[in-house]
Amino acid sequence: MFDWITTWIESLGYLGIFGLMVLEHLFPPIPSELVMPLAGFVSSSSTSDMTLAGVILAGSLGSLIGASAWYVVGLLITHEQLMGWVERHGRWLTLKPKDIEKAIAFFQQTGGSWVVGLGRMVPGVRTYVSVPAGLSHMPLLPYLSYSALGTVLWTGALAVAGYVLGDQFDRVQEWLGPVSKIVLISCAIAAVIWIAKRRRHRQS
């Protein structure tokens, strides 16, 4: 997979990064965990015209647009229609019903608009957390604001890691497991605090 992605980034530059990050959300086998560190590494080369800031901007815009496609899907159809479509056609996108259910459960258990931003930094959830946001008719501006924040942090961290690690950029994927666990634990703690505050507010 490295070769064609490398060729795409080197040939198309920022446009290639943008396109790959859009496709990541529509065709999950293309992972940002590979694209952004590789793009960061390419930008570190003295022969490259790309800058690290440009790489982060292109990747973030592509990721935000790709994720927003699922937000629109959530707005336009019901939960039952979505799950039925995934069961019938999801295999063509390597998408399983449990992927959607996992994102919906993550959204519902943590609560609050901020979960969209945090969800954008959790592998396995980041693409599909936009679905429950759409299904719940979360207002567009808060969705875009929180999603953009999480997206820039995620793509930025991956690109910087690739830039710093150089030709060992593929080691970034080794670190994602522990980082994901930290984010999930943080979400759980935040959810408990949020629920406790709501209960206190209702009782007062």
Side-chain angles (χ1 to χ4, degrees):
M1 181 178 283
F2 281 3
D3 293 340
W4 77 267
I5 291 180
T6 302
T7 300
W8 194 327
I9 292 175
E10 291 179 339
S11 301
L12 300 177
Y14 297 129
L15 181 60
I17 297 169
F18 173 85
L20 286 169
M21 293 302 286
V22 171
L23 288 175
E24 179 212 2
H25 297 281
L26 307 178
F27 191 64
I30 301 176
S32 61
E33 294 91 332
L34 171 61
V35 173
M36 291 309 300
L38 175 54
F41 164 59
V42 171
S43 73
S44 70
S45 171
S46 59
T47 60
S48 175
D49 294 329
M50 296 191 299
T51 65
L52 180 60
V55 164
I56 295 172
L57 178 60
S60 297
L61 287 174
S63 183
L64 184 60
I65 289 175
S68 295
W70 288 104
Y71 170 79
V72 173
V73 168
L75 282 176
L76 297 178
I77 65 177
T78 65
H79 179 273
E80 292 73 20
Q81 290 173 325
L82 174 63
M83 298 310 297
W85 184 90
V86 171
E87 289 176 358
R88 292 192 301 273
H89 308 293
R91 65 183 181 279
W92 301 110
L93 299 176
T94 66
L95 175 62
K96 301 176 182 178
K98 67 178 182 180
D99 296 325
I100 300 296
E101 294 291 5
K102 183 178 180 181
I104 292 174
F106 181 84
F107 187 88
Q108 293 177 338
Q109 290 171 7
T110 50
S113 301
W114 52 268
V115 73
V116 173
L118 286 176
R120 302 288 295 131
M121 295 183 285
V122 180
V125 170
R126 60 185 306 273
T127 293
Y128 306 115
V129 74
S130 298
V131 174
L135 287 172
S136 64
H137 292 269
M138 179 179 176
L140 180 61
L141 185 57
Y143 165 77
L144 289 176
S145 299
Y146 284 102
S147 190
L149 177 60
T151 295
V152 170
L153 290 174
W154 174 256
T155 56
L158 292 178
V160 169
Y163 187 93
V164 172
L165 288 173
D167 58 5
Q168 298 186 57
F169 67 89
D170 54 326
R171 290 179 55 196
V172 172
Q173 298 188 61
E174 299 174 11
W175 304 343
L176 291 180
V179 171
S180 298
K181 289 180 181 178
I182 291 173
V183 174
L184 286 172
I185 291 173
S186 300
C187 287
I189 293 173
V192 171
I193 295 173
W194 181 76
I195 292 171
K197 286 184 176 179
R198 282 186 60 117
R199 286 180 176 173
R200 250 189 255 115
H201 179 71
R202 289 174 180 173
Q203 293 173 355
S204 60

